[in-house]
Amino acid sequence: MTTAAAVITAGLLLLLGSIWHHAVARLVLRIDGGEGTPNLAERDLLFIGLLPGLALIGTAGTLLAFFGLLRPGATLFVAVLSVAVLHQDMLAVLRTLRRLVADAWHAIRSLDILTMLATAGFLLLIAALLFKAQTPTANNDAWVIHVPLAKSMVAHHGFVYPQIANPFYAAMPSFFEVLFAQEMMFVHHYLGASAINIAILLSFLLGLSTFMASRRALALLPILYLIGWTSFFGLAASQPLTDLPRSVFSVFALLLAYRYHVEHRIYYLLMAGLVAGGAVAGKFTELLAVGLIGLSLLPSLVSAPRDWRPIAAFALPVVIVAGYWYLKNWILFGNPIYPFLFAHPGLSDAWMASYMHAMTRPFDPADRGYVTDLLTL
């Protein structure tokens, strides 16, 4: 029953995020549809919008948590209000889902082998991930950091300081723990957090399918095998950790930025900003993806110095999604990326030196003999 409840709750959060994304996309695509490019198919719009939709869900959760309103009642109120106001977008999303089911049934009846294999592989991956999730992970980070952070947010109905006893991890960006908490409000089990990670991986795979111009069923098969069944993606998706979601958000942001450079739709930059914002709100290391996308946009300022729309379309959602975590650290510690680079009040120099030493060498002693300095190649 717990697994079923976790899957249903994660599915409803995905549905709500898809409705919000559809409303945003409808407005943005109406303003800027790109030059000489066809309109996006509803199916592509749905698949592309799954991860940005989750970014919007997490941002709403962050806002509720800030005001101490991370409660089932407040969340349900927001959901019901969204459905009432955005009923046209909800109907559009439901129509697309109905067509997906109808197309799958048609493929079965017409013996479309490739579509049947892709659908079966996708469903098998879901079953395998849910089966793996039944076994608690041996990674201590899940039980010392991520699950306690999510449980603390649920118990306090939002943010308190410190969120957990550890001053280092209490100051880290916790966007994905907010998503875990939004699920665990209704499913009081770590499987809720695992269900969110599984939903993120599956959303990523469906988003990737939109980059294939044709033969999507054929192309989806190697993607399911190479990504869905690998130890990092497949195993990490079934664990209540944040390595997979932040990695997936960063990669998808880079792909959406690439698509912007090909099709010149501001929509893609806006969606890239949402998922990149989610990534950097999950860990400081993902700032690299934001920097790379920002650098790719700089040449456009040379050709059109007064056109700041691409920069703004990307930067604004990043700030909206991730800004809270960096502003909080700036106010509390005088360092937006506490405890790195600038200052680390509350942590001794010796502790930081020990931490940085541990982080800059391989965890496995067998790998410590390798040279990691690329300049020596």
Side-chain angles (χ1 to χ4, degrees):
M1 289 297 292
T2 302
T3 302
V7 171
I8 292 170
T9 305
L12 290 174
L13 288 173
L14 271 176
L15 177 61
L16 181 61
S18 297
I19 294 170
W20 289 357
H21 160 265
H22 193 278
V24 174
R26 179 166 49 86
L27 294 175
V28 174
L29 291 172
R30 185 181 301 169
I31 296 170
D32 189 337
E35 297 178 3
T37 55
N39 291 327
L40 279 172
E42 283 292 328
R43 182 177 302 186
D44 287 353
L45 199 63
L46 175 65
F47 288 170
I48 290 172
L50 291 172
L51 287 181
L54 281 176
L56 291 171
I57 292 290
T59 305
T62 302
L63 186 63
L64 289 175
F66 178 77
F67 289 105
L69 294 173
L70 195 62
R71 303 168 183 264
T75 301
L76 290 174
F77 173 78
V78 171
V80 171
L81 182 64
S82 299
V83 169
V85 174
L86 305 175
H87 61 277
Q88 291 183 347
D89 299 286
M90 180 192 68
L91 292 175
V93 170
L94 292 178
R95 281 195 298 268
T96 304
L97 289 172
R98 185 183 63 184
R99 282 195 291 269
L100 281 173
V101 174
D103 289 347
W105 177 244
H106 176 74
I108 294 173
R109 293 184 60 184
S110 59
L111 297 179
D112 184 342
I113 301 300
L114 289 177
T115 302
M116 291 171 63
L117 285 174
T119 303
F122 193 77
L123 295 175
L124 182 61
L125 177 61
I126 295 174
L129 292 173
L130 291 173
F131 178 76
K132 284 183 181 180
Q134 306 302 313
T135 304
T137 177
N139 191 319
N140 286 334
D141 286 356
W143 316 117
V144 176
I145 306 168
H146 306 301
V147 171
L149 278 170
K151 285 185 174 180
S152 175
M153 293 174 192
V154 173
H156 293 96
H157 309 298
F159 300 137
V160 294
Y161 185 80
Q163 200 76 52
I164 56 175
N166 188 306
F168 178 81
Y169 292 108
M172 292 293 102
S174 303
F175 177 82
F176 294 107
E177 285 84 354
V178 172
L179 279 173
F180 294 169
Q182 288 174 282
E183 168 97 8
M184 292 172 70
M185 280 191 299
F186 302 96
V187 182
H188 305 290
H189 196 279
Y190 77 87
L191 280 174
S194 297
I196 287 293
N197 275 351
I198 292 171
I200 288 173
L201 175 61
L202 298 176
S203 299
F204 175 61
L205 295 176
L206 291 174
L208 281 182
S209 71
T210 66
F211 287 80
M212 307 162 199
S214 59
R215 302 284 184 179
R216 292 186 175 182
L218 178 62
L220 191 59
L221 288 171
I223 286 178
L224 287 172
Y225 177 75
L226 294 174
I227 296 179
W229 293 97
T230 57
S231 59
F232 173 74
F233 287 97
L235 183 60
S238 60
Q239 300 173 343
L241 299 165
T242 61
D243 301 292
L244 174 126
R246 62 183 175 82
S247 301
V248 162
F249 270 55
S250 287
V251 171
F252 200 62
L254 291 167
L255 290 172
L256 288 171
Y258 161 78
R259 201 155 181 173
Y260 162 75
H261 288 293
V262 172
E263 298 186 21
H264 304 290
R265 288 181 187 261
I266 291 295
Y267 163 77
Y268 291 122
L269 273 185
L270 194 69
M271 297 303 111
L274 287 174
V275 289
V280 299
K283 198 167 185 178
F284 297 134
T285 52
E286 307 311 313
L287 286 167
L288 177 62
V290 172
L292 289 173
I293 295 173
L295 286 174
S296 74
L297 297 175
L298 289 181
S300 64
L301 291 179
V302 176
S303 57
R306 296 184 179 180
D307 188 4
W308 286 82
R309 286 181 304 166
I311 300 290
F314 176 69
L316 185 61
V318 170
V319 172
I320 290 173
V321 176
Y324 165 78
W325 304 102
Y326 293 81
L327 184 61
K328 171 182 74 76
N329 281 352
W330 192 9
I331 293 172
L332 292 177
F333 306 110
N335 180 1
I337 55 172
Y338 175 89
F340 303 106
L341 295 182
F342 303 114
H344 47 84
L347 298 172
S348 67
D349 291 342
W351 191 94
M352 280 301 299
S354 174
Y355 176 82
M356 294 305 297
H357 177 69
M359 289 297 103
T360 52
R361 67 173 184 167
F363 290 110
D364 189 342
D367 295 332
R368 292 175 186 169
Y370 294 105
V371 175
T372 56
D373 185 359
L374 295 178
L375 297 177
T376 62
L377 295 177

